[in-house]
């Protein structure tokens, strides 16, 4: 007996639209990393990258999310697997309801119902490199206007921006005609 031919038609695979511009790696990473994160149990890669925002800096120093396993056919009431360093596991087990609440608040629905805690070593987060010192000191007026900014990172970024703008205003030595 022969099988009848299939009557379903496949949709043509759409190619990504080309923008003919240089794209930053940070633009491409969510697309590339998303498949890998889903393969290992993460619905959103942001759970890993924003773990310290979700649970707080204190708990993020001693724990890291490993995966979220959902029941078959569901996307809620999953089990969040955490790697916890050293003797912090009893503390993390004690505050498990609070962690579950924070993760669910991050997702916006009851994605996690239980925690699975595993002992393990965590990689230390890489320290951010200090911004390079500016080549020229800022003008007196510019320095005064930036002193009122409390956030040191924002102040450093604005200082480097001001130095870059000041450097663009000057004509380069090789461009002058004397």
């Amino acid at each position: 007996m022969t099988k009848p031919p299939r009557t379903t038609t496949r949709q043509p695979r759409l190619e990504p639209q080309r923008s003919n511009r240089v794209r930053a790696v940070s633009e491409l990473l969510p697309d590339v990393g998303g498949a890998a994160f889903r393969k290992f149990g993460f619905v959103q890669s942001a759970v890993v990258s924003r773990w310290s925002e979700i649970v707080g800096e204190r708990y993020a120093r001693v724990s890291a999310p490993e995966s979220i396993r959902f029941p078959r056919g569901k996307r809620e009431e999953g089990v969040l697997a955490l790697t916890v360093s050293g003797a912090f596991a009893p503390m993390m087990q004690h505050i498990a309801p609070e962690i579950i609440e924070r993760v669910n608040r991050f997702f916006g629905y009851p994605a996690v119902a239980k925690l699975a805690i595993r002992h393990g070593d965590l990689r230390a987060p890489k320290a951010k490199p200090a911004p390079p010192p500016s080549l020229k000191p800022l003008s007196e007026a510019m320095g005064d206007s930036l002193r009122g900014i409390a956030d040191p990172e924002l102040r450093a970024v604005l200082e480097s921006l001001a130095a870059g703008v000041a450097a663009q205003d000057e004509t380069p030595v090789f461009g002058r005609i004397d």
Side-chain angles (χ1 to χ4, degrees), residues 1 3 26 35 42 73 76 80 108 115 136 151-152 154 159 166 177:
M1 205 174 196
K3 292 183 179 179
S26 63
F42 280 103
E76 55 186 32
L80 173 64
L115 284 184
K136 297 169 76 177
D151 185 15
L154 177 62
E159 285 174 358
I177 299 175

Side-chain angles (χ1 to χ4, degrees), residues 77-88:
E77 298 179 7
V79 178
L80 173 64
L82 290 180
T83 301
V84 180
S85 65
F88 294 100

Side-chain angles (χ1 to χ4, degrees), residues 36-45 47-49 51 63-69 79-85 103 115-123:
F37 279 119
R38 279 191 301 277
K39 180 179 177 185
F40 291 105
F42 280 103
V43 177
Q44 290 182 333
S45 58
V47 174
V48 177
S49 61
W51 183 244
S63 67
E66 226 176 65
S67 67
I68 299 176
R69 302 285 180 207
V79 178
L80 173 64
L82 290 180
T83 301
V84 180
S85 65
V103 172
L115 284 184
I117 297 174
R118 182 181 73 83
H119 286 271
D121 292 328
L122 299 177
R123 286 188 240 163

Side-chain angles (χ1 to χ4, degrees), residues 65-102:
E66 226 176 65
S67 67
I68 299 176
R69 302 285 180 207
F70 294 107
R72 189 174 298 263
K74 288 184 159 185
R75 283 287 177 207
E76 55 186 32
E77 298 179 7
V79 178
L80 173 64
L82 290 180
T83 301
V84 180
S85 65
F88 294 100
M91 177 191 68
M92 295 300 277
Q93 194 170 12
H94 181 71
I95 62 164
E98 184 179 342
I99 292 173
I100 291 170
E101 177 191 344
R102 288 180 181 189

Side-chain angles (χ1 to χ4, degrees), residues 148-160:
I149 298 174
D151 185 15
E153 186 176 346
L154 177 62
R155 187 176 337 120
V157 169
L158 290 174
E159 285 174 358
S160 87

Side-chain angles (χ1 to χ4, degrees), residues 14 17 31 46 60 64 72 85 146:
L14 299 175
Q17 188 176 12
D31 297 336
R72 189 174 298 263
S85 65
L146 293 176

